[in-house]
Amino acid sequence: MQESVPAQKVLVAVDGSEQSLRAIRYAAGVFPPDRTHIVLFHVQAQLFELFSDLDAYPHYKSRVTGLKRWATEQKMDISNTMDSARVYFRQKGFPESAITVKTPARKLGISQDIVKESYEGYHAVVVGRIGWSRFKDWLIKSTAMKLVAKIKHIPIVVVGGKPDAQNLLVAFDGTHGAMKGVVCVGALVGATGHDLHLYSIIGSKKKFWPGDDPYFTIDNCVSRIVTVDLEIGEQLEEARTRLLAEGFPTNRISLRIHAVDRDRATHIVQEAQKNNFGSVVVGRRGLITFIDEYFVGRISDQVLKLADELAVWVI
């Protein structure tokens, strides 16, 4: 009898917006139904307490009825969204027992409540890039961006646009953070028929292949990865080995090493877009020096700004 694989618990933040619905569809497409437990999580605003206070003021009493009706409609909309999401996950092969709905009342604030919940045994958080109010998200830091800054113990996936969930690009530079990204993707996605592209950026002075082509490409990582005297070769082989251990077929793992000295975030996003990879996986501190971070900003932050139509995994 085959031993069952422990379920990976994934929190999907839901606010009823179109982008959160796309995040639901992305999660259903990227995570394996046989080893993922999905928690649909929505933080409810405590509006009725405000209404009870307003009832005491004659000037506002006539308006409270309309506000209560609006709040009830919002609650019904979320309930319908959750029901539709459950049906969608079922259609994608998730058993009923692997789908949970949680709608707690707001306590600390939306982002703070999601952060607190993320410590309850989760392996990843999925959130839409833009919520209900596009103007508010543009004017101030969105909930998604706040969560990226606060959730550092597990991967957070920010879904923008309508990304293809089947193909993932992992930005890899051999560092601990980059290897952590490989391990997390392997554990969360595994043998689900996805294509995975290891995209490594090195300095042009470290280029080890002849000719003027800035790229070194391996389309099918069947054999051991050897890059002559380049130090990253050993790390790339370890990354391939870890992916194989999680069930990724060798014919679905590709590798490209790109010799470039600047605009690394731009090259990462362009590589994903050009090859139809809907997901980009980046480490929080990989592919960057302390000086770069001080003057330019982290690569992960830059990728998030540029990849507004992709799903960005920050690990």
Side-chain angles (χ1 to χ4, degrees):
M1 182 177 178
Q2 187 177 4
E3 185 178 353
S4 61
V5 179
Q8 305 282 350
K9 191 177 175 183
V10 176
L11 184 155
V12 181
V14 180
D15 66 0
S17 66
E18 178 61 31
Q19 193 61 69
S20 76
L21 298 180
R22 293 175 181 175
I24 288 170
R25 291 192 283 269
Y26 175 82
V30 76
F31 298 113
D34 61 335
R35 64 184 205 181
T36 306
H37 188 111
I38 296 292
V39 177
L40 302 168
F41 190 78
H42 172 75
V43 179
Q44 296 189 70
Q46 295 177 305
L47 296 177
F48 286 101
E49 292 183 5
L50 173 63
F51 298 152
S52 62
D53 293 338
L54 290 176
D55 278 334
Y57 298 89
H59 179 71
Y60 292 105
K61 194 169 184 178
S62 60
R63 305 180 187 181
V64 168
T65 301
L67 289 172
K68 286 183 177 179
R69 185 184 302 115
W70 174 83
T72 300
E73 290 173 353
Q74 294 296 308
K75 192 172 183 178
M76 290 179 61
D77 286 342
I78 288 297
S79 178
N80 292 335
T81 297
M82 293 300 198
D83 290 341
S84 298
R86 292 179 73 103
V87 171
Y88 187 79
F89 277 104
R90 288 294 306 277
Q91 292 173 344
K92 290 298 182 178
F94 287 79
E96 184 67 32
S97 59
I99 310 166
T100 299
V101 172
K102 298 184 73 172
T103 57
R106 177 174 174 172
K107 295 179 180 178
L108 304 174
I110 294 176
S111 60
Q112 293 94 325
D113 287 344
I114 294 175
V115 171
K116 182 180 178 181
E117 177 68 18
S118 71
Y119 282 94
E120 299 298 321
Y122 289 90
H123 296 83
V125 172
V126 180
V127 61
R129 176 178 286 267
I130 298 174
W132 269 116
S133 174
R134 286 180 174 269
F135 176 75
K136 183 189 71 173
D137 288 333
W138 173 81
L139 191 63
I140 61 177
K141 203 169 187 179
S142 70
T143 298
M145 298 304 111
K146 290 178 181 176
L147 292 175
V148 169
K150 294 177 180 179
I151 296 178
K152 300 179 181 180
H153 56 292
I154 56 175
I156 177 167
V157 185
V158 179
V159 180
K162 300 178 181 179
D164 179 4
Q166 293 301 309
N167 306 312
L168 301 98
L169 179 148
V170 179
F172 187 81
D173 64 349
T175 61
H176 173 74
M179 190 65 72
K180 184 179 178 182
V182 171
V183 172
C184 287
V185 170
L188 287 167
V189 177
T192 51
H194 295 72
D195 290 322
L196 189 141
H197 187 57
L198 290 171
Y199 181 61
S200 297
I201 295 180
I202 63 173
S204 58
K205 292 182 180 180
K206 294 184 178 180
K207 180 172 173 287
F208 62 94
W209 57 94
D212 297 327
D213 191 342
Y215 298 103
F216 178 81
T217 303
I218 301 176
D219 294 326
N220 192 331
C221 295
V222 176
S223 303
R224 177 179 174 83
I225 297 176
V226 180
T227 53
V228 195
D229 58 348
L230 188 65
E231 185 178 350
I232 199 173
E234 182 178 342
Q235 284 84 0
L236 283 170
E237 172 57 21
E238 182 183 350
R240 184 186 78 101
T241 302
R242 287 175 178 262
L243 290 171
L244 294 178
E246 293 293 344
F248 268 94
T250 54
N251 62 347
R252 290 191 174 275
I253 304 172
S254 59
L255 162 69
R256 171 171 281 196
I257 302 176
H258 188 184
V260 63
D261 291 319
R262 55 188 355 182
D263 298 330
R264 295 185 173 188
T266 300
H267 286 292
I268 291 170
V269 175
Q270 289 177 347
E271 179 76 6
Q273 294 172 335
K274 181 173 62 177
N275 294 283
N276 296 318
F277 284 87
S279 307
V280 174
V281 182
V282 291
R284 290 184 178 272
R285 294 189 61 84
L287 298 165
I288 194 167
T289 67
F290 172 78
I291 298 298
D292 290 335
E293 181 175 356
Y294 182 80
F295 287 104
V296 181
R298 296 182 180 182
I299 293 293
S300 57
D301 293 340
Q302 296 176 48
V303 170
L304 276 168
K305 292 177 183 177
L306 294 170
D308 57 348
E309 295 294 318
L310 301 174
V312 180
W313 296 48
V314 182
I315 299 175

